[in-house]
Amino acid sequence: MDMSSHTLSTLFDQLGLPSDEQNIKKFIAKHRTQTGLDPLEGAPFWSPGQAQFLQQALTEDSDWSEVVDELNILLHS
């Protein structure tokens, strides 16, 4: 298991998204209203691969789960 510390930036890299601070803030602002009450991985803006990664990170409580939880909170707040 990869024991490195993951951040929002490394999560966005993993998801194939622009990962600088400004683009992360834009992404969250844009998609916050699209997330609704759905679980994070069920949001309509994820590709199937991205949704699968997020779901797997949470269900397997992987080393990504903490930063995925952080993204979930940011998108649902």
Side-chain angles (χ1 to χ4, degrees), residues 8 11-12 15 17 27-28 31-32 34-59 64-77:
L8 281 176
L11 176 60
F12 274 63
L15 294 170
L17 299 169
F27 180 92
I28 291 167
H31 295 296
R32 180 177 283 143
Q34 296 177 346
T35 308
L37 298 176
D38 294 327
L40 177 64
E41 70 275 6
F45 47 83
W46 300 121
S47 71
Q50 291 169 326
Q52 181 181 8
F53 174 81
L54 294 168
Q55 181 181 33
Q56 197 170 18
L58 293 171
T59 58
W64 287 100
S65 63
E66 190 173 314
V67 72
V68 171
D69 283 337
E70 180 182 353
L71 177 60
N72 190 28
I73 289 166
L74 290 169
L75 286 170
H76 281 95
S77 62

Side-chain angles (χ1 to χ4, degrees), residues 18-34:
S19 59
D20 60 277
E21 185 177 349
Q22 183 178 9
N23 277 302
I24 291 171
K25 286 179 180 180
K26 283 181 185 178
F27 180 92
I28 291 167
K30 177 181 179 181
H31 295 296
R32 180 177 283 143
T33 58
Q34 296 177 346

